[in-house]
């Protein structure tokens, strides 16, 4: 039997008695692109951080290729799934490293390439994302926030992950850059068989990149299905969430 | 009843933090002795922590040596034993003032900046990003800083000792009209290797303490706007207090018998 790439079962997570996530169940298959939508504070980032092993769920299990993800509670310094890449909502670039050093970090320390090869991979990755060479040796604090975001994406792609999680990748990007990003996510999923989970607030981009969409509301998974079914949903919270987009198009 | 509840919670919290600190300490030390080593980062920290602390430590010990000479001269004339000034300056600087003042000053300068740096990395998810990219933050962030603190502090203190004694010499010769040769002779003749060595061992311990406190508070920094500020303050206050407590304990160990 073939296992799903990612399977989440009965996930529950709370911080100091406030329940953030409850009864979360879903599967993502190889080469599939899942988009998670939901209002601010609905627990999207917490959910994806549980999947990479940065947060330990209180209850429930996460399986990657059928293997249960073990998260050491006292120290979560070793992330179990090193075939997963993660693009943080706030980019999280290393302040003390230049753009190229940020991007070659993963190839060098995660994939154990030597410094020269890692640099070569970083250059390729930067070219792929149209990062102009004049930025290559700058530091994150010198970049605009949208460029930081693109560098963070380049850093995540440079390790050639099997699974990649984007936490609001297009927030703060201009329309052209965000279209290009949607295209890039689509292409990576299709051509390189990457499994992607993308968090977004933008329904149009969700419809474009998703094979399936899941909606979180106050820590519960209230809807999931095909992109084409989203607009037909009769769930009141889903309708409320997508209404602004229906009227604008 | 409410009071008991408050006290109970306070005791539990303190115990919890102490436990956390002990575990953190053990892990930090074990990662200092275990590869991978990031040599470039260790070197960078040595420069940041050691080299850039030189002016602070130098100024502190220089003026302390000068004041010490003045004060002890003032006191010793009352017993007409002015000749002890040089010896007293040398002993107090090497045994006590050098390590303690350097430790406190470096805690203010370095302990706070370690806490602020790690705290802001934590808050902006850079620590999580390290984990995702296959690097243990204890190897990459904490071990280099602690190694640098342990190595740099004795060197700083040794330099501080020399500068402090020199400060005493300046005051002794130019203000109190000691004969330079006699002053130097009196400085050296009563000074034993154990005086200097004990000071340097203290310095290493202080370096370890201030490094650990900076890293601990930075690494466990809470989110939100006050998180980093609070971490910095706690790192400095707890670092200074621990230095003073351990100063007593180590002195007792060396000189009680
Ligand atoms: N480390 C933490 N400690 C305590 N509470 C947390 C922590 N991380 C997140 N939370 C809380 O969990 C809830 C969900 O946060 P989360 O970041 O997952 O929201 P989100 O859906 O990603 O929202 P946004 O779209 O704004 O990014 C929030 O109320 C937040 O305050
Ligand atoms: Mg979020």
């Amino acid at each position: 039997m073939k296992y799903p790439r990612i399977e989440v079962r009965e996930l529950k997570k709370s911080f100091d008695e406030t329940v953030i996530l409850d009864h979360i169940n879903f599967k993502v298959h190889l080469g599939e692109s899942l988009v998670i939508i939901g209002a601010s504070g609905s627990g999207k980032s917490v959910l994806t951080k549980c999947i990479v092993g940065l947060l330990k769920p209180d209850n429930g299990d996460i399986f990657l290729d059928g293997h249960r993800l073990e998260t050491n509670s006292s120290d979560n310094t070793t992330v179990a799934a090193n075939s997963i890449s993660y693009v943080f909502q706030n980019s999280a670039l290393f302040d003390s490293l230049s753009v190229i050093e940020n991007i070659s970090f993963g190839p060098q320390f995660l994939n154990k390439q030597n410094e020269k090869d890692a640099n070569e991979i970083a250059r390729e990755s930067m070219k792929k994302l149209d990062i102009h060479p004049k930025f290559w040796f700058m530091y994150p604090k010198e970049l605009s926030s949208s460029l930081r975001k693109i560098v963070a994406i380049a850093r995540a792609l440079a390790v050639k992950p099997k699974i990649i999680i984007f936490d609001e990748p297009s927030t703060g990007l201009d329309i052209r850059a965000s279209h290009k990003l949607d295209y890039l996510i689509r292409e990576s999923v299709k051509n390189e068989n990457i499994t992607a989970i993308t968090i977004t607030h933008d329904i149009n981009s969700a419809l474009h990149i998703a094979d399936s969409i899941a909606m979180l509301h106050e820590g519960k998974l209230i809807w999931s299905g095909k992109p084409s079914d989203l607009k037909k949903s009769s769930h009141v919270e889903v309708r409320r969430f997508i209404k602004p987009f229906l009227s604008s198009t | 009843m409410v009071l008991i509840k408050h006290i109970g919670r306070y005791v539990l919290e303190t115990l919890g933090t102490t436990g956390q600190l002990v575990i953190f300490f053990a892990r930090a030390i074990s990662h200092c002795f275990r590869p991978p080593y990031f040599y470039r980062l260790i070197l960078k920290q040595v420069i940041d922590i050691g080299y850039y602390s030189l002016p602070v430590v130098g100024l502190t010990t220089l003026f302390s040596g000068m004041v010490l000479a003045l004060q002890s001269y003032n006191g010793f004339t009352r017993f007409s034993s002015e000749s002890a000034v040089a010896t007293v300056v040398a002993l107090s600087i090497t045994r006590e003032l050098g390590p303690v003042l350097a430790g406190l000053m470096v805690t203010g300068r370095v302990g706070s900046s370690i806490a602020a740096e790690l705290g802001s990395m934590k808050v902006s998810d850079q620590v999580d990003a390290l984990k995702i990219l296959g690097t243990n933050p204890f190897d990459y962030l904490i071990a280099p800083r602690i190694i640098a603190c342990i190595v740099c502090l004795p060197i700083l203190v040794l330099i501080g000792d020399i500068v402090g004694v020199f400060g005493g010499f300046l005051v002794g010769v130019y203000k109190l009209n000691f004969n330079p040769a006699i002053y130097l002779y009196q400085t050296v003749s009563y000074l034993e290797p154990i005086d200097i060595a004990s000071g340097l061992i203290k310095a290493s311990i202080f370096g370890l303490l201030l490094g650990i406190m900076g890293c601990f508070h930075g690494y466990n920094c809470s989110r939100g706007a006050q998180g980093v500020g609070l971490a910095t303050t706690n790192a400095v206050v707890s670092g200074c207090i621990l230095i003073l407590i351990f100063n007593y304990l180590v002195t007792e160990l060396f000189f009680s018998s």
Side-chain angles (χ1 to χ4, degrees), chain A residues 75-77 79 88 90 92-95 105 109-110 115 155, chain B residues 27 38 40 124-126 128-131 133-135 140 219:
Chain A
D75 92 78
N76 46 28
T77 45
V79 172
F88 288 86
N90 54 8
L93 296 178
F94 303 126
D95 289 329
F105 193 98
F109 295 115
L110 182 67
E115 210 174 320
R155 180 174 74 177
Chain B
R27 286 187 61 202
F38 292 88
R40 238 180 279 175
S124 62
D125 286 334
Q126 291 177 54
D128 282 347
L130 270 181
K131 297 177 193 170
L133 294 171
T135 307
Y140 190 81
Y219 193 75

PDB file of all heavy atoms in Angstrom, chain A residues 75-77 79 88 90 92-95 105 109-110 115 155, chain B residues 27 38 40 124-126 128-131 133-135 140 219:
ATOM      1  N   ASP A  75      13.882  19.259  23.965  1.00  0.00           N
ATOM      2  CA  ASP A  75      14.645  20.075  23.041  1.00  0.00           C
ATOM      3  C   ASP A  75      14.108  19.786  21.672  1.00  0.00           C
ATOM      4  O   ASP A  75      14.085  18.645  21.238  1.00  0.00           O
ATOM      5  CB  ASP A  75      16.132  19.703  23.122  1.00  0.00           C
ATOM      6  CG  ASP A  75      16.556  18.640  22.139  1.00  0.00           C
ATOM      7  OD1 ASP A  75      16.733  18.979  20.966  1.00  0.00           O
ATOM      8  OD2 ASP A  75      16.693  17.482  22.542  1.00  0.00           O
ATOM      9  N   ASN A  76      13.602  20.771  20.981  1.00  0.00           N
ATOM     10  CA  ASN A  76      13.199  20.462  19.617  1.00  0.00           C
ATOM     11  C   ASN A  76      14.261  20.960  18.651  1.00  0.00           C
ATOM     12  O   ASN A  76      13.987  21.544  17.634  1.00  0.00           O
ATOM     13  CB  ASN A  76      11.830  21.042  19.297  1.00  0.00           C
ATOM     14  CG  ASN A  76      11.719  22.466  19.770  1.00  0.00           C
ATOM     15  OD1 ASN A  76      12.733  23.154  19.852  1.00  0.00           O
ATOM     16  ND2 ASN A  76      10.528  22.914  20.078  1.00  0.00           N
ATOM     17  N   THR A  77      15.529  20.719  19.049  1.00  0.00           N
ATOM     18  CA  THR A  77      16.598  21.242  18.210  1.00  0.00           C
ATOM     19  C   THR A  77      16.845  20.398  16.973  1.00  0.00           C
ATOM     20  O   THR A  77      17.398  20.883  16.018  1.00  0.00           O
ATOM     21  CB  THR A  77      17.901  21.326  18.992  1.00  0.00           C
ATOM     22  OG1 THR A  77      18.047  20.128  19.700  1.00  0.00           O
ATOM     23  CG2 THR A  77      17.912  22.493  19.934  1.00  0.00           C
ATOM     24  N   VAL A  79      15.164  18.746  14.028  1.00  0.00           N
ATOM     25  CA  VAL A  79      13.911  18.609  13.330  1.00  0.00           C
ATOM     26  C   VAL A  79      13.948  17.291  12.585  1.00  0.00           C
ATOM     27  O   VAL A  79      14.861  16.991  11.833  1.00  0.00           O
ATOM     28  CB  VAL A  79      13.714  19.793  12.385  1.00  0.00           C
ATOM     29  CG1 VAL A  79      12.505  19.561  11.519  1.00  0.00           C
ATOM     30  CG2 VAL A  79      13.555  21.067  13.188  1.00  0.00           C
ATOM     31  N   PHE A  88       9.412  30.840   6.319  1.00  0.00           N
ATOM     32  CA  PHE A  88       8.737  31.449   7.460  1.00  0.00           C
ATOM     33  C   PHE A  88       7.965  32.690   7.045  1.00  0.00           C
ATOM     34  O   PHE A  88       8.343  33.401   6.109  1.00  0.00           O
ATOM     35  CB  PHE A  88       9.754  31.816   8.540  1.00  0.00           C
ATOM     36  CG  PHE A  88      10.305  30.622   9.242  1.00  0.00           C
ATOM     37  CD1 PHE A  88      11.401  29.944   8.722  1.00  0.00           C
ATOM     38  CD2 PHE A  88       9.717  30.145  10.399  1.00  0.00           C
ATOM     39  CE1 PHE A  88      11.910  28.825   9.349  1.00  0.00           C
ATOM     40  CE2 PHE A  88      10.215  29.021  11.033  1.00  0.00           C
ATOM     41  CZ  PHE A  88      11.310  28.364  10.515  1.00  0.00           C
ATOM     42  N   ASN A  90       7.766  35.496   8.404  1.00  0.00           N
ATOM     43  CA  ASN A  90       8.528  36.757   8.444  1.00  0.00           C
ATOM     44  C   ASN A  90       9.928  36.578   7.858  1.00  0.00           C
ATOM     45  O   ASN A  90      10.861  37.243   8.264  1.00  0.00           O
ATOM     46  CB  ASN A  90       8.600  37.274   9.876  1.00  0.00           C
ATOM     47  CG  ASN A  90       9.147  36.207  10.794  1.00  0.00           C
ATOM     48  OD1 ASN A  90       9.596  35.162  10.328  1.00  0.00           O
ATOM     49  ND2 ASN A  90       9.141  36.449  12.082  1.00  0.00           N
ATOM     50  N   ALA A  92      12.655  35.239   8.252  1.00  0.00           N
ATOM     51  CA  ALA A  92      13.629  34.633   9.163  1.00  0.00           C
ATOM     52  C   ALA A  92      14.991  34.413   8.517  1.00  0.00           C
ATOM     53  O   ALA A  92      15.643  33.402   8.727  1.00  0.00           O
ATOM     54  CB  ALA A  92      13.096  33.317   9.736  1.00  0.00           C
ATOM     55  N   LEU A  93      15.436  35.385   7.701  1.00  0.00           N
ATOM     56  CA  LEU A  93      16.799  35.289   7.160  1.00  0.00           C
ATOM     57  C   LEU A  93      17.800  35.519   8.283  1.00  0.00           C
ATOM     58  O   LEU A  93      17.511  36.225   9.246  1.00  0.00           O
ATOM     59  CB  LEU A  93      17.003  36.351   6.079  1.00  0.00           C
ATOM     60  CG  LEU A  93      16.122  36.204   4.848  1.00  0.00           C
ATOM     61  CD1 LEU A  93      16.384  37.350   3.883  1.00  0.00           C
ATOM     62  CD2 LEU A  93      16.368  34.875   4.160  1.00  0.00           C
ATOM     63  N   PHE A  94      18.993  34.908   8.140  1.00  0.00           N
ATOM     64  CA  PHE A  94      20.022  35.113   9.157  1.00  0.00           C
ATOM     65  C   PHE A  94      20.630  36.506   8.988  1.00  0.00           C
ATOM     66  O   PHE A  94      21.262  36.802   7.977  1.00  0.00           O
ATOM     67  CB  PHE A  94      21.099  34.041   9.045  1.00  0.00           C
ATOM     68  CG  PHE A  94      20.543  32.653   9.170  1.00  0.00           C
ATOM     69  CD1 PHE A  94      20.795  31.696   8.201  1.00  0.00           C
ATOM     70  CD2 PHE A  94      19.745  32.301  10.242  1.00  0.00           C
ATOM     71  CE1 PHE A  94      20.266  30.421   8.307  1.00  0.00           C
ATOM     72  CE2 PHE A  94      19.210  31.027  10.354  1.00  0.00           C
ATOM     73  CZ  PHE A  94      19.471  30.093   9.382  1.00  0.00           C
ATOM     74  N   ASP A  95      20.447  37.347   9.991  1.00  0.00           N
ATOM     75  CA  ASP A  95      20.888  38.743   9.920  1.00  0.00           C
ATOM     76  C   ASP A  95      22.376  38.882   9.664  1.00  0.00           C
ATOM     77  O   ASP A  95      22.817  39.828   9.039  1.00  0.00           O
ATOM     78  CB  ASP A  95      20.601  39.457  11.254  1.00  0.00           C
ATOM     79  CG  ASP A  95      19.121  39.684  11.443  1.00  0.00           C
ATOM     80  OD1 ASP A  95      18.431  39.867  10.424  1.00  0.00           O
ATOM     81  OD2 ASP A  95      18.667  39.665  12.601  1.00  0.00           O
ATOM     82  N   PHE A 105      23.544  28.252   2.860  1.00  0.00           N
ATOM     83  CA  PHE A 105      23.591  27.637   4.192  1.00  0.00           C
ATOM     84  C   PHE A 105      23.021  26.214   4.187  1.00  0.00           C
ATOM     85  O   PHE A 105      23.650  25.281   4.682  1.00  0.00           O
ATOM     86  CB  PHE A 105      22.800  28.508   5.177  1.00  0.00           C
ATOM     87  CG  PHE A 105      23.031  28.168   6.617  1.00  0.00           C
ATOM     88  CD1 PHE A 105      23.931  28.884   7.377  1.00  0.00           C
ATOM     89  CD2 PHE A 105      22.336  27.118   7.225  1.00  0.00           C
ATOM     90  CE1 PHE A 105      24.143  28.574   8.711  1.00  0.00           C
ATOM     91  CE2 PHE A 105      22.551  26.802   8.553  1.00  0.00           C
ATOM     92  CZ  PHE A 105      23.459  27.530   9.285  1.00  0.00           C
ATOM     93  N   PHE A 109      25.125  22.930   5.065  1.00  0.00           N
ATOM     94  CA  PHE A 109      25.018  22.283   6.369  1.00  0.00           C
ATOM     95  C   PHE A 109      23.961  21.190   6.428  1.00  0.00           C
ATOM     96  O   PHE A 109      24.065  20.268   7.218  1.00  0.00           O
ATOM     97  CB  PHE A 109      24.761  23.324   7.459  1.00  0.00           C
ATOM     98  CG  PHE A 109      25.911  24.266   7.614  1.00  0.00           C
ATOM     99  CD1 PHE A 109      25.778  25.610   7.318  1.00  0.00           C
ATOM    100  CD2 PHE A 109      27.145  23.794   8.021  1.00  0.00           C
ATOM    101  CE1 PHE A 109      26.847  26.471   7.446  1.00  0.00           C
ATOM    102  CE2 PHE A 109      28.229  24.650   8.142  1.00  0.00           C
ATOM    103  CZ  PHE A 109      28.081  25.991   7.858  1.00  0.00           C
ATOM    104  N   LEU A 110      22.921  21.295   5.593  1.00  0.00           N
ATOM    105  CA  LEU A 110      21.907  20.247   5.596  1.00  0.00           C
ATOM    106  C   LEU A 110      22.264  19.151   4.595  1.00  0.00           C
ATOM    107  O   LEU A 110      22.242  17.973   4.905  1.00  0.00           O
ATOM    108  CB  LEU A 110      20.530  20.843   5.260  1.00  0.00           C
ATOM    109  CG  LEU A 110      19.365  19.859   5.276  1.00  0.00           C
ATOM    110  CD1 LEU A 110      19.103  19.366   6.673  1.00  0.00           C
ATOM    111  CD2 LEU A 110      18.109  20.513   4.717  1.00  0.00           C
ATOM    112  N   GLU A 115      31.835  23.999   0.323  1.00  0.00           N
ATOM    113  CA  GLU A 115      31.460  25.403   0.238  1.00  0.00           C
ATOM    114  C   GLU A 115      31.292  25.862  -1.214  1.00  0.00           C
ATOM    115  O   GLU A 115      30.385  26.632  -1.533  1.00  0.00           O
ATOM    116  CB  GLU A 115      32.532  26.235   0.952  1.00  0.00           C
ATOM    117  CG  GLU A 115      31.981  27.495   1.564  1.00  0.00           C
ATOM    118  CD  GLU A 115      33.035  28.227   2.376  1.00  0.00           C
ATOM    119  OE1 GLU A 115      33.825  27.552   3.071  1.00  0.00           O
ATOM    120  OE2 GLU A 115      33.062  29.464   2.291  1.00  0.00           O
ATOM    121  N   ARG A 155      16.214  30.343  -0.442  1.00  0.00           N
ATOM    122  CA  ARG A 155      16.925  29.554   0.560  1.00  0.00           C
ATOM    123  C   ARG A 155      16.236  28.203   0.784  1.00  0.00           C
ATOM    124  O   ARG A 155      16.886  27.172   0.911  1.00  0.00           O
ATOM    125  CB  ARG A 155      16.977  30.336   1.877  1.00  0.00           C
ATOM    126  CG  ARG A 155      17.693  29.603   2.987  1.00  0.00           C
ATOM    127  CD  ARG A 155      17.856  30.450   4.229  1.00  0.00           C
ATOM    128  NE  ARG A 155      16.607  30.604   4.962  1.00  0.00           N
ATOM    129  CZ  ARG A 155      16.488  31.259   6.119  1.00  0.00           C
ATOM    130  NH1 ARG A 155      17.559  31.835   6.648  1.00  0.00           N
ATOM    131  NH2 ARG A 155      15.328  31.373   6.714  1.00  0.00           N
TER     132      ARG A 155
ATOM    133  N   ARG B  27      23.645  20.942  28.588  1.00  0.00           N
ATOM    134  CA  ARG B  27      23.652  20.798  27.126  1.00  0.00           C
ATOM    135  C   ARG B  27      24.667  21.728  26.485  1.00  0.00           C
ATOM    136  O   ARG B  27      25.391  21.340  25.557  1.00  0.00           O
ATOM    137  CB  ARG B  27      22.261  21.100  26.564  1.00  0.00           C
ATOM    138  CG  ARG B  27      21.289  19.989  26.847  1.00  0.00           C
ATOM    139  CD  ARG B  27      19.990  20.228  26.143  1.00  0.00           C
ATOM    140  NE  ARG B  27      20.176  20.280  24.710  1.00  0.00           N
ATOM    141  CZ  ARG B  27      19.324  20.881  23.894  1.00  0.00           C
ATOM    142  NH1 ARG B  27      18.279  21.499  24.367  1.00  0.00           N
ATOM    143  NH2 ARG B  27      19.532  20.856  22.607  1.00  0.00           N
ATOM    144  N   PHE B  38      32.327  25.306  14.655  1.00  0.00           N
ATOM    145  CA  PHE B  38      32.293  26.346  13.634  1.00  0.00           C
ATOM    146  C   PHE B  38      33.427  27.328  13.939  1.00  0.00           C
ATOM    147  O   PHE B  38      33.238  28.317  14.637  1.00  0.00           O
ATOM    148  CB  PHE B  38      30.931  27.043  13.631  1.00  0.00           C
ATOM    149  CG  PHE B  38      29.812  26.154  13.170  1.00  0.00           C
ATOM    150  CD1 PHE B  38      29.123  25.351  14.059  1.00  0.00           C
ATOM    151  CD2 PHE B  38      29.456  26.108  11.832  1.00  0.00           C
ATOM    152  CE1 PHE B  38      28.099  24.525  13.637  1.00  0.00           C
ATOM    153  CE2 PHE B  38      28.425  25.286  11.398  1.00  0.00           C
ATOM    154  CZ  PHE B  38      27.752  24.490  12.300  1.00  0.00           C
ATOM    155  N   ARG B  40      35.126  29.517  12.324  1.00  0.00           N
ATOM    156  CA  ARG B  40      35.018  30.917  11.923  1.00  0.00           C
ATOM    157  C   ARG B  40      34.163  31.704  12.921  1.00  0.00           C
ATOM    158  O   ARG B  40      34.458  32.841  13.242  1.00  0.00           O
ATOM    159  CB  ARG B  40      34.404  30.997  10.527  1.00  0.00           C
ATOM    160  CG  ARG B  40      35.318  31.711   9.550  1.00  0.00           C
ATOM    161  CD  ARG B  40      34.678  31.768   8.187  1.00  0.00           C
ATOM    162  NE  ARG B  40      34.847  30.517   7.462  1.00  0.00           N
ATOM    163  CZ  ARG B  40      34.281  30.272   6.267  1.00  0.00           C
ATOM    164  NH1 ARG B  40      33.498  31.171   5.708  1.00  0.00           N
ATOM    165  NH2 ARG B  40      34.480  29.122   5.655  1.00  0.00           N
ATOM    166  N   SER B 124      12.485  36.359  15.884  1.00  0.00           N
ATOM    167  CA  SER B 124      12.236  36.478  14.448  1.00  0.00           C
ATOM    168  C   SER B 124      12.362  35.129  13.732  1.00  0.00           C
ATOM    169  O   SER B 124      12.564  35.095  12.527  1.00  0.00           O
ATOM    170  CB  SER B 124      13.194  37.492  13.836  1.00  0.00           C
ATOM    171  OG  SER B 124      14.523  37.035  14.004  1.00  0.00           O
ATOM    172  N   ASP B 125      12.260  34.028  14.486  1.00  0.00           N
ATOM    173  CA  ASP B 125      12.252  32.674  13.914  1.00  0.00           C
ATOM    174  C   ASP B 125      13.574  32.228  13.306  1.00  0.00           C
ATOM    175  O   ASP B 125      13.640  31.200  12.646  1.00  0.00           O
ATOM    176  CB  ASP B 125      11.157  32.520  12.831  1.00  0.00           C
ATOM    177  CG  ASP B 125       9.772  32.447  13.435  1.00  0.00           C
ATOM    178  OD1 ASP B 125       9.658  32.029  14.592  1.00  0.00           O
ATOM    179  OD2 ASP B 125       8.801  32.815  12.746  1.00  0.00           O
ATOM    180  N   GLN B 126      14.649  33.004  13.494  1.00  0.00           N
ATOM    181  CA  GLN B 126      15.921  32.584  12.898  1.00  0.00           C
ATOM    182  C   GLN B 126      16.447  31.310  13.557  1.00  0.00           C
ATOM    183  O   GLN B 126      17.118  30.506  12.915  1.00  0.00           O
ATOM    184  CB  GLN B 126      16.969  33.687  13.030  1.00  0.00           C
ATOM    185  CG  GLN B 126      16.657  34.894  12.169  1.00  0.00           C
ATOM    186  CD  GLN B 126      17.661  36.000  12.374  1.00  0.00           C
ATOM    187  OE1 GLN B 126      18.856  35.799  12.250  1.00  0.00           O
ATOM    188  NE2 GLN B 126      17.176  37.186  12.700  1.00  0.00           N
ATOM    189  N   ASP B 128      14.558  28.864  14.664  1.00  0.00           N
ATOM    190  CA  ASP B 128      13.819  27.773  14.021  1.00  0.00           C
ATOM    191  C   ASP B 128      14.356  27.510  12.618  1.00  0.00           C
ATOM    192  O   ASP B 128      14.434  26.366  12.178  1.00  0.00           O
ATOM    193  CB  ASP B 128      12.324  28.120  13.948  1.00  0.00           C
ATOM    194  CG  ASP B 128      11.631  27.900  15.282  1.00  0.00           C
ATOM    195  OD1 ASP B 128      12.247  27.265  16.166  1.00  0.00           O
ATOM    196  OD2 ASP B 128      10.489  28.353  15.441  1.00  0.00           O
ATOM    197  N   ALA B 129      14.717  28.589  11.929  1.00  0.00           N
ATOM    198  CA  ALA B 129      15.246  28.421  10.573  1.00  0.00           C
ATOM    199  C   ALA B 129      16.543  27.614  10.601  1.00  0.00           C
ATOM    200  O   ALA B 129      16.782  26.775   9.731  1.00  0.00           O
ATOM    201  CB  ALA B 129      15.473  29.782   9.921  1.00  0.00           C
ATOM    202  N   LEU B 130      17.368  27.832  11.614  1.00  0.00           N
ATOM    203  CA  LEU B 130      18.596  27.047  11.766  1.00  0.00           C
ATOM    204  C   LEU B 130      18.280  25.561  11.880  1.00  0.00           C
ATOM    205  O   LEU B 130      18.902  24.720  11.235  1.00  0.00           O
ATOM    206  CB  LEU B 130      19.338  27.456  13.041  1.00  0.00           C
ATOM    207  CG  LEU B 130      20.360  28.567  13.008  1.00  0.00           C
ATOM    208  CD1 LEU B 130      20.944  28.731  14.396  1.00  0.00           C
ATOM    209  CD2 LEU B 130      21.454  28.257  12.017  1.00  0.00           C
ATOM    210  N   LYS B 131      17.291  25.255  12.729  1.00  0.00           N
ATOM    211  CA  LYS B 131      16.923  23.852  12.928  1.00  0.00           C
ATOM    212  C   LYS B 131      16.450  23.229  11.625  1.00  0.00           C
ATOM    213  O   LYS B 131      16.818  22.106  11.296  1.00  0.00           O
ATOM    214  CB  LYS B 131      15.803  23.740  13.968  1.00  0.00           C
ATOM    215  CG  LYS B 131      16.199  24.216  15.350  1.00  0.00           C
ATOM    216  CD  LYS B 131      14.996  24.130  16.265  1.00  0.00           C
ATOM    217  CE  LYS B 131      15.223  24.886  17.554  1.00  0.00           C
ATOM    218  NZ  LYS B 131      13.979  24.996  18.339  1.00  0.00           N
ATOM    219  N   LEU B 133      17.307  24.027   8.711  1.00  0.00           N
ATOM    220  CA  LEU B 133      18.428  23.858   7.787  1.00  0.00           C
ATOM    221  C   LEU B 133      19.499  22.945   8.369  1.00  0.00           C
ATOM    222  O   LEU B 133      20.678  23.048   8.030  1.00  0.00           O
ATOM    223  CB  LEU B 133      19.002  25.225   7.407  1.00  0.00           C
ATOM    224  CG  LEU B 133      18.018  26.074   6.586  1.00  0.00           C
ATOM    225  CD1 LEU B 133      18.515  27.489   6.410  1.00  0.00           C
ATOM    226  CD2 LEU B 133      17.762  25.441   5.225  1.00  0.00           C
ATOM    227  N   GLY B 134      19.098  22.070   9.275  1.00  0.00           N
ATOM    228  CA  GLY B 134      19.979  20.994   9.704  1.00  0.00           C
ATOM    229  C   GLY B 134      21.103  21.402  10.628  1.00  0.00           C
ATOM    230  O   GLY B 134      22.124  20.725  10.698  1.00  0.00           O
ATOM    231  N   THR B 135      20.936  22.505  11.341  1.00  0.00           N
ATOM    232  CA  THR B 135      22.008  22.957  12.217  1.00  0.00           C
ATOM    233  C   THR B 135      21.480  23.108  13.630  1.00  0.00           C
ATOM    234  O   THR B 135      20.441  23.718  13.840  1.00  0.00           O
ATOM    235  CB  THR B 135      22.551  24.311  11.725  1.00  0.00           C
ATOM    236  OG1 THR B 135      22.891  24.168  10.358  1.00  0.00           O
ATOM    237  CG2 THR B 135      23.778  24.716  12.495  1.00  0.00           C
ATOM    238  N   TYR B 140      25.826  26.022  16.761  1.00  0.00           N
ATOM    239  CA  TYR B 140      26.071  27.159  15.883  1.00  0.00           C
ATOM    240  C   TYR B 140      26.073  28.483  16.639  1.00  0.00           C
ATOM    241  O   TYR B 140      26.844  29.376  16.340  1.00  0.00           O
ATOM    242  CB  TYR B 140      25.002  27.184  14.789  1.00  0.00           C
ATOM    243  CG  TYR B 140      25.267  28.167  13.680  1.00  0.00           C
ATOM    244  CD1 TYR B 140      26.134  27.851  12.635  1.00  0.00           C
ATOM    245  CD2 TYR B 140      24.647  29.421  13.664  1.00  0.00           C
ATOM    246  CE1 TYR B 140      26.374  28.742  11.622  1.00  0.00           C
ATOM    247  CE2 TYR B 140      24.884  30.312  12.649  1.00  0.00           C
ATOM    248  CZ  TYR B 140      25.745  29.969  11.626  1.00  0.00           C
ATOM    249  OH  TYR B 140      25.991  30.870  10.624  1.00  0.00           O
ATOM    250  N   TYR B 219      18.171  32.737  24.621  1.00  0.00           N
ATOM    251  CA  TYR B 219      17.594  31.583  23.937  1.00  0.00           C
ATOM    252  C   TYR B 219      16.171  31.313  24.408  1.00  0.00           C
ATOM    253  O   TYR B 219      15.346  30.813  23.662  1.00  0.00           O
ATOM    254  CB  TYR B 219      18.471  30.352  24.187  1.00  0.00           C
ATOM    255  CG  TYR B 219      18.164  29.196  23.291  1.00  0.00           C
ATOM    256  CD1 TYR B 219      18.570  29.204  21.965  1.00  0.00           C
ATOM    257  CD2 TYR B 219      17.466  28.083  23.754  1.00  0.00           C
ATOM    258  CE1 TYR B 219      18.295  28.147  21.127  1.00  0.00           C
ATOM    259  CE2 TYR B 219      17.184  27.019  22.920  1.00  0.00           C
ATOM    260  CZ  TYR B 219      17.603  27.057  21.608  1.00  0.00           C
ATOM    261  OH  TYR B 219      17.318  26.011  20.770  1.00  0.00           O
TER     262      TYR B 219
END
